[in-house]
Amino acid sequence: MIERARVMTEDTISQIATPHGAGGIGIIRVSGEDALGVARRVFRPAAGGTLGDMAPYTARYGHIVAADGTVIDECILLYMRAPHSYTGEDTAELQCHGGAVVLREVLLRTWEAGARPAEAGEFTKRAFLHGRLDLARAESVMELIAAKSTRAAHAARERLAGAFSHAVTDIRTQILGAVAHIEAGIDFPEDDIPAASAEHLAAEIDAASAAVRRLLAGADTGRILRDGVKTVIVGRPNVGKSSLLNALLGMERAIVTDVPGTTRDIIEEEISVAGIPLRLLDTAGLRAAEDAVEQIGVARTEQHLTDAELILAVFDASEPLTAEDHALLARLSAAAADIIILCSKEDRPSVLSAEDFAAVAAPVLRISAQEGTGLDALREEIAAHIVQREGDLSDGALPNKEREIEALRRAEAHLAAAAETLAADLGTDFVSIDLRAAYDALGEILGETVDTDLIDRIFSEFCIGK
């Protein structure tokens, strides 16, 4: 287990900190005890002289030079001194031109000068080990980088600022207060410290349990911000499903023809609707297919319908409902997902009305993917459905990792056990055991006491250079 002492690292690391590919600026980050020393060996100030005792939080213009003095690139050097840097260590950043070749040359030069290649996520791992970030906040760095929508980015920023960590810390403080009340009377009976009353302890345990449950209630919302809402477009062949996908994406992603059964496999894309990430799946048309390949596509459509969170059911408004349409409506009436019914091809004379869909409790919208009409109303309806179902999607105090949710559930179970022990009058020392177990479970979320293998696994999933 790792105790959150201020772990010091002895070696100096470097890596490209900006995305790979051509760009105006590329940054090489160097972090560790010898960060400024590495910078001195590779950087030559344009004004002449040496870096000497370069003042922290200042910039110098100059050149990156090879061991023989050959200029590799122009550069601006920034220096940050421990502990006031991202990693909590001495850090030098070399801002060079953003070409892949030149950045690679500069990076290799820093390795020649004494740094070693940084592993995936090692800069953020060092920030955690040096106490700059707790584990929940450290993981939010990658959430911010990988955010698929504006709301996901906002929630990640809130987590990085400590919204979730503070909520967990507050619960731990509450639990620790209850433990202190119990153990003070046990450890120092000669000091005549008043024993905590059962009523007072029960109230403290109930308050902590309620706070844990509030966090758990936001687990689905946190997952949605990370993974997106699984949204399945469904309907019989040739009702306009692929046209709808293309219209929402703003590009020709799916093939659209008059031939039924064109879409035979699932097409999945990610879009953002009103700042909410959606995993949009265009499915094979539901019908009794004779072609073996189309049968597989229909089977996959059925499978995705079972675990969809939102279903966009498309019907051709220019034609009466068919037997396949009625079969789909029967299926939708028993679905657990939210449903929006779409009468497509609004640009043609319509023969369908809202009464045709009365068997399904869902709003009915009219759209024309070809003309682009009704799409804004559809986006608004999607956003309203998700917010109504999931609540505030901008809240950063949300668990969104399985390990966080599992730790919260264990904490909830330990708090419930403490309440039962207290109610059964089995002794406050046994209550204290369960409270401490809940306290430790919540500590795992913050990385206060956590297995080293888990730490390595978490940061190995980060991108190189972060």
Side-chain angles (χ1 to χ4, degrees):
M1 303 289 282
I2 285 182
E3 293 290 343
R4 287 291 304 283
R6 297 298 182 261
V7 179
M8 295 305 294
T9 47
E10 297 179 354
D11 54 352
T12 298
I13 58 175
S14 67
Q15 192 53 259
I16 300 171
T18 44
H20 292 284
I25 297 174
I27 297 175
I28 307 292
R29 177 180 285 164
V30 186
S31 182
E33 187 174 307
D34 193 35
L36 187 57
V38 171
R40 288 192 184 108
R41 291 187 279 276
V42 305
F43 179 84
R44 185 169 63 199
T50 63
L51 292 178
D53 294 326
M54 180 179 178
Y57 317 108
T58 59
R60 294 282 182 88
Y61 167 71
H63 298 87
I64 301 295
V65 293
D68 62 2
T70 304
V71 173
I72 297 175
D73 192 23
E74 291 181 291
C75 176
I76 292 177
L77 168 65
L78 301 177
Y79 171 54
M80 290 150 279
R81 182 176 293 167
H84 303 297
S85 70
Y86 178 74
T87 60
E89 304 173 318
D90 283 358
T91 300
E93 289 190 354
L94 306 172
Q95 297 187 0
C96 309
H97 288 100
V101 173
V102 69
L103 277 177
R104 183 67 180 172
E105 289 184 25
V106 175
L107 180 62
L108 291 174
R109 181 71 184 101
T110 63
W111 295 348
E112 289 176 1
R116 70 161 174 82
E119 300 173 358
E122 190 168 4
F123 291 110
T124 305
K125 181 179 180 180
R126 290 189 174 203
F128 164 73
L129 292 175
H130 291 121
R132 291 282 294 162
L133 299 170
D134 60 54
L135 194 54
R137 292 178 63 199
E139 288 183 287
S140 69
V141 172
M142 279 308 298
E143 292 169 20
L144 184 57
I145 293 171
K148 301 172 183 177
S149 69
T150 55
R151 295 198 187 200
H154 175 77
R157 285 192 294 269
E158 291 290 304
R159 279 176 60 97
L160 182 56
F164 180 59
S165 299
H166 293 158
V168 173
T169 298
D170 288 346
I171 301 172
R172 296 186 83 219
T173 300
Q174 197 167 23
I175 294 172
L176 194 60
V179 172
H181 289 156
I182 293 172
E183 296 188 353
I186 295 173
D187 294 340
F188 306 102
E190 69 280 1
D191 292 339
D192 295 324
I193 298 175
S197 69
E199 293 79 8
H200 181 69
L201 282 176
E204 288 185 315
I205 294 170
D206 286 345
S209 297
V212 170
R213 287 194 296 272
R214 282 194 296 273
L215 291 180
L216 281 171
D220 283 344
T221 301
R223 177 193 54 76
I224 282 174
L225 290 172
R226 186 187 71 240
D227 298 332
V229 179
K230 184 173 182 179
T231 305
V232 176
I233 303 174
V234 67
R236 62 179 170 86
N238 265 28
V239 294
K241 300 185 302 299
S242 295
S243 295
L244 174 61
L245 174 71
N246 291 340
L248 289 173
L249 291 175
M251 59 181 285
E252 296 296 317
R253 174 64 177 86
I255 297 173
V256 177
T257 73
D258 293 330
V259 179
T262 302
T263 302
R264 298 188 171 205
D265 202 355
I266 306 299
I267 299 176
E268 181 172 346
E269 290 288 341
E270 292 181 353
I271 64 171
S272 175
V273 174
I276 301 168
L278 264 65
R279 292 172 51 214
L280 203 57
L281 284 76
D282 180 22
T283 62
L286 289 173
R287 67 172 180 175
E290 296 181 359
D291 181 282
V293 176
E294 189 179 354
Q295 286 175 356
I296 295 173
V298 171
R300 290 181 178 177
T301 298
E302 297 279 358
Q303 179 182 350
H304 283 294
L305 274 176
T306 60
D307 58 0
E309 295 168 291
L310 178 63
I311 298 174
L312 304 182
V314 185
F315 298 86
D316 187 344
S318 67
E319 300 177 358
L321 294 178
T322 67
E324 291 160 340
D325 290 329
H326 284 293
L328 174 57
L329 288 171
R331 174 77 179 267
L332 294 176
S333 64
D338 283 345
I339 300 166
I340 300 175
I341 292 176
L342 303 175
C343 292
S344 67
K345 305 183 183 179
E346 173 65 7
D347 50 308
R348 303 178 184 178
S350 177
V351 298
L352 297 180
S353 66
E355 288 72 21
D356 293 304
F357 308 100
V360 180
V364 179
L365 303 181
R366 295 187 176 276
I367 64 168
S368 171
Q370 184 173 349
E371 300 296 329
T373 58
L375 296 181
D376 287 341
L378 172 58
R379 294 185 182 98
E380 292 174 4
E381 190 67 38
I382 289 172
H385 268 260
I386 296 171
V387 171
Q388 181 179 5
R389 183 166 180 160
E390 304 298 341
D392 184 7
L393 294 176
S394 299
D395 188 358
L398 299 171
N400 61 11
K401 302 286 190 305
E402 284 301 321
R403 73 169 193 89
E404 294 172 348
I405 296 168
E406 191 271 338
L408 286 168
R409 286 173 177 158
R410 280 192 286 116
E412 183 184 30
H414 286 304
L415 288 169
E420 292 174 3
T421 301
L422 182 64
D425 197 21
L426 298 178
T428 54
D429 49 345
F430 292 107
V431 176
S432 178
I433 292 172
D434 281 314
L435 290 177
R436 283 198 170 276
Y439 180 84
D440 290 341
L442 294 173
E444 293 175 19
I445 295 174
L446 306 176
E448 293 292 339
T449 53
V450 67
D451 188 87
T452 54
D453 291 337
L454 176 62
I455 293 295
D456 291 339
R457 180 174 61 79
I458 288 173
F459 287 104
S460 70
E461 295 174 357
F462 278 47
C463 56
I464 295 291
K466 196 56 184 171

